[in-house]
Amino acid sequence: MWSALIALAAVANAAIIKTPNAVANEYIVVLHPNSTTSSHMGLLNEDATVMFEYSIGDFQGYAMSHPDTYFVTKLSEHPSVRYVQENGATEPAHESNANCRSFSNTNPGLWGLSRVSGPDLQNGRDLKVHGAMGNDVTVYVLDTGVFVEHEDFQGRATTGPNFSNEQDGDLNGHGTHCTGTVGGGAFGVARNADLVDIKVMGRGGGSFAMAIAGINHVANDAGTRKIASMSFGGGQNDGTDDAVNAAAAAGVLLVAAAGNSRRSACTFSPAAAEGSFTVGSTDNRDARSGFSNFGTCMNIFAPGTNVLSSWIGSPTATRTISGTSMACPHVAGLAAEYWAQHPTDTAKDVWAALVNNGVKDIVTNPGAGSPNVLGQTTCASGPPPRSEA
């Protein structure tokens, strides 16, 4: 088979694309649209281990491990291969108006819910959302796992596929925290949304191969109103960005954390992908959080500093943490809240509505190239909603 691979090599100028924080001997192989993963398996020798297979519209490929760089380089030259890229490490990114409802927030750690509920900085301590609150919308949380037994999820959180290298569940806490902000009963925006755990990281992080597997699952899962909340990232990775773009073309709304490196989000994936709705972080003074990335690859800001949400350890555990990881699920929740009211809208329609509904030119020091838009619920500027405890 090795000789056949060499014989079929079309060009000699192909090369393995480098990735920051590369995982040793692991690669993402992206094929041309007229090729299939199954037909490609015959080109691999006994040293290859296929970890994941991907099929999202024209995005076809797989992730593999292989100890021989020369073999992988020759594989990249095959006419059916679009490109081969090193796998890279990822990590959590944390350092109608008549139907509006209002929920009182007495804990200052829930300031973010209040902030997305009105255009003014001092808008009280209420969450103001449409009564549908994400009903019949599914939010897939691609993260470190979810402690689905937490009482704040009210039985709406389920365990999906695990693409990480550790057991099911959340051993880190990050994924559970983000899920609470998306749709927890006390800590979340979209309090009727269906929440699905797609585990793409372990307690110490993950890889782009795992992330693409999660994106692949979301794109191919049944359903129409699907949102992916992606509070993770690493150095810019073409395979991940292409997978995001393919999933977006398939009708998924993919919300991504901008990252916490005080740099352009365009140098990180999945934040850099054109198909990602990328979120930067603000503090409770409407300033860009000191850690937040910025720039032209961003789409919106949301609260991300000192955010209270659910945690692991017990069904009532909570923790306050900061990061663009915390901003991202605020926006995933806003997207679910809007989509529940407009069930015939497309993901592109929801994308446009999130920007249009946001309050403009209020974030101080947004960073060069950043859109100065702060996310808001659809009830943020409507008539006074009825109050509920």
Side-chain angles (χ1 to χ4, degrees):
M1 192 56 64
W2 173 250
S3 60
L5 178 61
I6 295 177
L8 288 170
V11 293
N13 59 355
I16 302 168
I17 300 174
K18 298 295 184 182
T19 293
N21 301 315
V23 179
N25 299 325
E26 292 187 5
Y27 305 92
I28 297 165
V29 182
V30 178
L31 307 178
H32 288 293
N34 59 350
S35 301
T36 63
T37 301
S38 57
S39 65
H40 213 252
M41 293 299 100
L43 298 176
L44 304 181
N45 64 14
E46 63 276 5
D47 292 328
T49 300
V50 176
M51 302 182 293
F52 306 108
E53 296 183 21
Y54 311 128
S55 179
I56 311 173
D58 286 342
F59 182 80
Q60 303 289 321
Y62 56 94
M64 72 168 187
S65 63
H66 201 290
D68 187 347
T69 303
Y70 180 73
F71 179 93
V72 179
T73 301
K74 300 304 294 184
L75 180 67
S76 73
E77 298 169 359
H78 192 274
S80 65
V81 175
R82 185 175 160 206
Y83 60 83
V84 176
Q85 185 167 22
E86 294 173 332
N87 189 19
T90 61
E91 60 183 17
H94 69 279
E95 280 232 50
S96 138
N97 293 332
N99 294 317
C100 291
R101 299 170 65 181
S102 179
F103 296 86
S104 179
N105 294 324
T106 58
N107 192 311
L110 297 176
W111 71 271
L113 300 182
S114 301
R115 190 64 197 90
V116 300
S117 297
D120 300 320
L121 180 59
Q122 303 297 332
N123 56 44
R125 292 192 179 278
D126 290 342
L127 167 68
K128 299 174 184 177
V129 292
H130 188 272
M133 294 189 292
N135 193 49
D136 293 328
V137 179
T138 302
V139 182
Y140 301 82
V141 182
L142 280 64
D143 216 290
T144 61
V146 178
F147 179 43
V148 297
E149 294 84 3
H150 199 288
E151 66 177 24
D152 198 44
F153 302 142
Q154 303 167 324
R156 291 177 289 108
T158 58
T159 300
N162 181 356
F163 299 109
S164 77
N165 54 7
E166 70 177 25
Q167 68 193 62
D168 289 348
D170 188 1
L171 305 181
N172 178 292
H174 185 272
T176 299
H177 194 282
C178 291
T179 305
T181 301
V182 171
F187 306 127
V189 177
R191 299 182 176 188
N192 285 339
D194 295 321
L195 309 168
V196 182
D197 166 20
I198 307 295
K199 186 165 182 171
V200 298
M201 294 182 286
R203 74 179 83 192
S207 74
F208 284 122
M210 296 172 185
I212 297 172
I215 295 166
N216 181 78
H217 173 81
V218 174
N220 287 287
D221 201 20
T224 53
R225 287 179 284 172
K226 299 187 290 186
I227 299 168
S229 182
M230 305 185 297
S231 288
F232 63 85
Q236 196 275 327
N237 180 272
D238 292 341
T240 301
D241 293 347
D242 284 345
V244 166
N245 296 339
V252 180
L253 180 63
L254 300 103
V255 184
N260 303 327
S261 299
R262 305 176 182 88
R263 294 164 52 191
S264 170
C266 296
T267 59
F268 296 86
S269 292
E274 290 184 7
S276 285
F277 194 79
T278 300
V279 187
S281 172
T282 58
D283 64 20
N284 62 2
R285 299 166 299 167
D286 285 343
R288 174 170 62 91
S289 302
F291 50 77
S292 179
N293 285 350
F294 55 86
T296 57
C297 288
M298 270 184 42
N299 300 95
I300 204 165
F301 284 94
T305 298
N306 295 330
V307 174
L308 173 70
S309 189
S310 47
W311 201 250
I312 58 174
S314 82
T316 59
T318 63
R319 185 164 294 188
T320 299
I321 57 177
S322 301
T324 56
S325 278
M326 287 61 256
C328 172
H330 275 94
V331 173
L334 293 175
E337 186 237 6
Y338 178 88
W339 218 342
Q341 301 168 62
H342 303 88
T344 61
D345 277 10
T346 67
K348 290 182 179 179
D349 295 329
V350 179
W351 179 305
L354 289 171
V355 175
N356 291 337
N357 291 342
V359 60
K360 312 301 191 295
D361 300 322
I362 201 166
V363 178
T364 58
N365 189 30
S370 301
N372 199 321
V373 182
L374 182 68
Q376 299 277 277
T377 70
T378 57
C379 291
S381 58
R386 65 180 188 270
S387 296
E388 301 182 26

